Amino acid sequence: MVAKFHTSRRDLLKALSIVWASCFPARAVSQTAVPNPVTFLDVAHSAGITFRHDNAASTEKYMIETMGSGCGWIDYNQDGLMDLYLVNGAATRLYKPTQPLRSALYRNNGDGTFTDVTEKAGVGAEGLFGMGVAVGDYDNDGFPDLYVLGYDRSILYHNNGDGTFTDVTARAGVSNSGKWASSAACFDYDNDGRLDIVIANYVNWSPDNNVWCGEHKPGYRGYCHPDVYQGQRPTLYHNNGDGTFTDVSQSSGVGSKPGNGLGVVTFDYDNDGWQDIFIANDAMPNFLFHNNRDGTFREVGYLAGVAVSSEGRPEAGMGTDAADTTGSGWLDLIVTHLDFEQARLYRNLGDGSFEDATYQAKLAYATFHLSGFGTCFMDYDNDGAQDLFFANGHILDNIELYHAGTYHAEPKLMFRNTRRGVFENVSDRLGPDFQLPRVSRGAALGDFDNDGDLDVLVSNNGQAPQLLRNDGGNKSHWLQILLIGTKSNRDGVGARVKVVAGDLVLFEQRKGGASYQSAHDPRVHFGLGNRETVDSVEIRWPSGALTRLQNIKGDRVIAVKEGDGIVLCKFPRLRGA
């Protein structure tokens, strides 16, 4: 994650980058035309989002200043419109803001604007130096709950169903006290119908052990590399079904060894019906925990080929996501890294192992010069192939002193999937707002206007957030599915979905976590291209139950309830959209 100050190594890597650029030019892939041009317009300001992240920046360069923060989507009042949550920092020994800092919940008004309802809802998390957010209905009451992750502790807010939340952290037993939580995923690891929580914890930093990193001259002090501190073990909380959780980190094997955890995604990588856990570790091998189906996990990162790069090096793992990029039915992995490393695409071979396909996928060059955090597989143009989004921003606010041509604020990247698992960099075609440099961290996908294309909420460190509205993606057809579990957990996390529309066959899972410190829209999204109707939908629920649907009209959101099929739910389009 954080840059090391080894000038000789940097010079070497610069030289290598010139060689690699000649071998893998940015436009190596043929320029296939995008059927429907798409632009992303930042509507945060016009939508009434006045929040600005405060990272408590100081001359002492506390590590917590540069690592956050996240954002998320949550339909907290169940009106069919996605509301949004933004995580904030807090006062420190060295930084005392005039007004207490708080995170923010914004209600979607249904007309393109949002209203700050933080105070009424009671979810400000004041005093918590926040990092990430996770969303899940842990008590299966039909209202999603909110878990705010932070340095030294975390907060669980129970949704009361009346527009307010209650802090139930102490009663639930999920404070994660003494740990620096970065990202979390709500998922059902034992398929008992209740959502558990896994947390990627970072390092044992504190103001008391803060050290000087960088050169000892004015302006050159920087944020330290994680190697300076000891890593922390991941946390796994088991849902007891009575409003409380039990820490099973050690007994499950998930907390068996420390890591420098930043990003987490839960998905079924071997299609055995049980969710596994991937954690992106910073400057050390990544973890892949295989679910043994008996309440325990086995760490298989090296065996599966996702612990390190193809060159055998651990890298600065930060954001992560999983999706089927080739139509094979097996989910691949993406992991973002610091500049002078590539974002790694690990392709699932279907035999329990992955291969590093970064170069074959044509992702190496463009990601080599940027520092990626939030990352999402998303079919932004609804053509039926999973594209790839990166939110970028460097760690060091003075990186230009060390590195000419590298900047603290960086542009975002979008790679269009050419349907063969080979990606084309289309970042410069998506409008000026998409290309604006920012110090980006979290990124969360959500169709906030219910118009059928995926929008992106981005949290920027020490800056205002961006709400990038997708304009044009819905010119191609689409289908979104809200899963409602009954025997399975109500959110349907862990369900596997197959969609067939003519010659198009798509596979997706309802995953937990993903991106960086962020929470996505819970609906499963499918782009259909020019196909107006879906021939069949097959949903394999975590309980093992199977739901089959036929002849589904596209261009709408459907709710599917385990055991019942399609049920009536309202998903209103924004007025005027």
Side-chain angles (χ1 to χ4, degrees):
M1 179 280 301
V2 179
K4 283 184 175 178
F5 300 89
H6 290 175
T7 305
S8 59
R9 177 177 179 268
R10 287 300 193 192
D11 291 342
L12 175 61
L13 287 173
K14 283 183 180 180
L16 287 173
S17 72
I18 296 173
V19 176
W20 288 346
S22 65
C23 296
F24 301 97
R27 300 294 182 187
V29 183
S30 61
Q31 296 293 306
T32 54
V34 179
N36 293 309
V38 174
T39 58
F40 285 90
L41 180 68
D42 182 7
V43 297
H45 179 73
S46 62
I49 299 171
T50 59
F51 176 91
R52 185 181 182 88
H53 179 253
D54 192 328
N55 65 340
S58 73
T59 57
E60 290 298 306
K61 303 289 184 179
Y62 284 175
M63 284 188 74
I64 53 174
E65 299 169 6
T66 193
M67 296 307 299
S69 63
C71 54
W73 295 101
I74 175 173
D75 183 5
Y76 81 99
N77 54 1
Q78 291 294 281
D79 63 353
L81 295 165
M82 297 308 302
D83 313 298
L84 64 88
Y85 191 82
L86 296 158
V87 182
N88 210 351
T92 67
R93 292 181 184 178
L94 301 175
Y95 180 74
K96 306 296 182 184
T98 55
Q99 297 292 329
L101 303 182
R102 68 178 189 182
S103 298
L105 174 66
Y106 281 87
R107 186 189 67 231
N108 189 332
N109 298 323
D111 60 0
T113 68
F114 290 79
T115 297
D116 187 337
V117 294
T118 311
E119 186 174 355
K120 178 182 178 181
V123 291
E126 291 184 13
L128 175 71
F129 203 107
M131 290 289 153
V133 60
V135 175
D137 184 2
Y138 75 88
D139 56 354
N140 291 330
D141 67 352
F143 289 90
D145 308 298
L146 194 64
Y147 192 45
V148 186
L149 304 138
Y151 170 73
D152 201 42
R153 64 186 179 94
S154 298
I155 300 173
L156 177 62
Y157 290 110
H158 175 260
N159 190 331
N160 299 322
D162 60 0
T164 69
F165 292 74
T166 299
D167 182 345
V168 296
T169 312
R171 179 181 182 274
V174 292
S175 68
N176 203 41
S177 181
K179 291 187 176 181
W180 177 349
S182 177
S183 302
C186 297
F187 76 127
D188 184 3
Y189 76 88
D190 53 358
N191 285 347
D192 66 353
R194 299 186 294 265
L195 289 178
D196 313 297
I197 303 172
V198 62
I199 304 171
N201 296 309
Y202 195 40
V203 297
N204 283 319
W205 172 90
S206 78
D208 295 325
N209 65 9
N210 192 57
V211 300
W212 184 294
C213 292
E215 298 182 29
H216 284 268
K217 56 183 182 180
Y220 277 75
R221 185 172 185 174
Y223 297 103
C224 290
H225 191 275
D227 284 353
V228 174
Y229 304 98
Q230 294 180 336
Q232 294 185 332
R233 300 171 189 270
T235 301
L236 178 61
Y237 287 117
H238 176 261
N239 189 331
N240 300 322
D242 59 359
T244 69
F245 292 75
T246 298
D247 187 339
V248 295
S249 307
Q250 290 300 315
S251 61
S252 68
V254 171
S256 60
K257 57 182 178 180
N260 298 338
L262 287 178
V264 61
V265 61
T266 64
F267 70 114
D268 182 5
Y269 79 91
D270 54 357
N271 286 344
D272 67 351
W274 298 73
Q275 280 211 310
D276 311 295
I277 304 167
F278 178 80
I279 294 179
N281 280 321
D282 184 4
M284 65 172 290
N286 303 314
F287 293 153
L288 177 61
F289 293 102
H290 177 261
N291 193 326
N292 296 326
R293 298 181 284 183
D294 61 0
T296 68
F297 292 80
R298 182 166 62 102
E299 204 287 297
V300 297
Y302 270 110
L303 290 174
V306 296
V308 294
S309 69
S310 57
E311 294 85 11
R313 295 195 313 267
E315 295 177 307
M318 296 185 284
T320 186
D321 198 3
D324 177 10
T325 64
T326 61
S328 67
W330 302 87
L331 269 59
D332 311 310
L333 271 170
I334 189 72
V335 186
T336 59
H337 299 108
L338 195 66
D339 62 329
F340 287 89
E341 298 170 344
Q342 295 93 28
R344 294 285 171 180
L345 178 68
Y346 295 102
R347 184 154 292 146
N348 194 327
L349 301 178
D351 60 0
S353 69
F354 296 74
E355 66 175 353
D356 184 345
T358 305
Y359 291 101
Q360 298 95 307
K362 306 300 181 184
L363 294 173
Y365 177 74
T367 63
F368 182 76
H369 300 281
L370 299 173
S371 297
F373 279 86
T375 184
C376 315
F377 284 109
M378 60 179 295
D379 186 356
Y380 80 94
D381 55 358
N382 283 346
D383 69 347
Q386 291 282 358
D387 311 304
L388 193 48
F389 170 84
F390 296 99
N392 305 301
H394 208 278
I395 291 297
L396 300 178
D397 54 1
N398 56 359
I399 185 61
E400 294 176 54
L401 297 177
Y402 287 93
H403 231 185
T406 302
Y407 304 95
H408 191 208
E410 297 177 332
K412 294 162 186 62
L413 291 174
M414 182 74 82
F415 290 88
R416 181 173 178 263
N417 190 339
T418 62
R419 295 177 178 274
R420 296 172 288 112
V422 176
F423 292 83
E424 177 187 11
N425 187 354
V426 296
S427 309
D428 59 357
R429 306 179 197 173
L430 302 180
D433 286 359
F434 189 87
Q435 300 176 64
L436 287 174
R438 292 291 185 270
V439 186
S440 298
R441 296 294 183 256
L445 301 179
D447 184 6
F448 81 91
D449 46 7
N450 285 341
D451 68 348
D453 48 34
L454 290 173
D455 313 300
V456 188
L457 177 65
V458 181
S459 178
N460 298 312
N461 184 269
Q463 300 173 331
Q466 293 164 286
L467 177 53
L468 297 173
R469 188 185 68 201
N470 185 326
D471 291 337
N474 61 2
K475 292 179 181 178
S476 291
H477 299 292
W478 55 276
L479 179 71
Q480 291 180 15
I481 304 175
L482 177 69
L483 300 172
I484 304 173
T486 52
K487 185 176 180 181
S488 303
N489 66 85
R490 186 178 175 89
D491 289 357
V493 177
R496 292 175 291 163
V497 185
K498 178 182 177 181
V499 166
V500 178
D503 61 337
L504 183 66
V505 182
L506 302 173
F507 301 90
E508 184 58 285
Q509 294 181 20
R510 176 67 165 90
K511 300 166 292 190
S515 189
Y516 177 80
Q517 299 184 348
S518 298
H520 297 312
D521 185 328
R523 297 169 292 188
V524 186
H525 177 93
F526 296 93
L528 302 176
N530 61 3
R531 304 158 187 86
E532 298 182 10
T533 302
V534 171
D535 299 317
S536 66
V537 175
E538 183 177 290
I539 303 168
R540 178 72 67 177
W541 299 86
S543 67
L546 183 65
T547 297
R548 289 191 176 97
L549 308 170
Q550 292 183 320
N551 298 321
I552 305 300
K553 185 179 178 181
D555 300 324
R556 60 177 177 146
V557 187
I558 61 173
V560 181
K561 190 173 184 179
E562 184 179 13
D564 293 340
I566 296 178
V567 295
L568 181 63
C569 286
K570 293 183 179 180
F571 302 99
R573 291 280 292 266
L574 294 195
R575 294 188 291 276

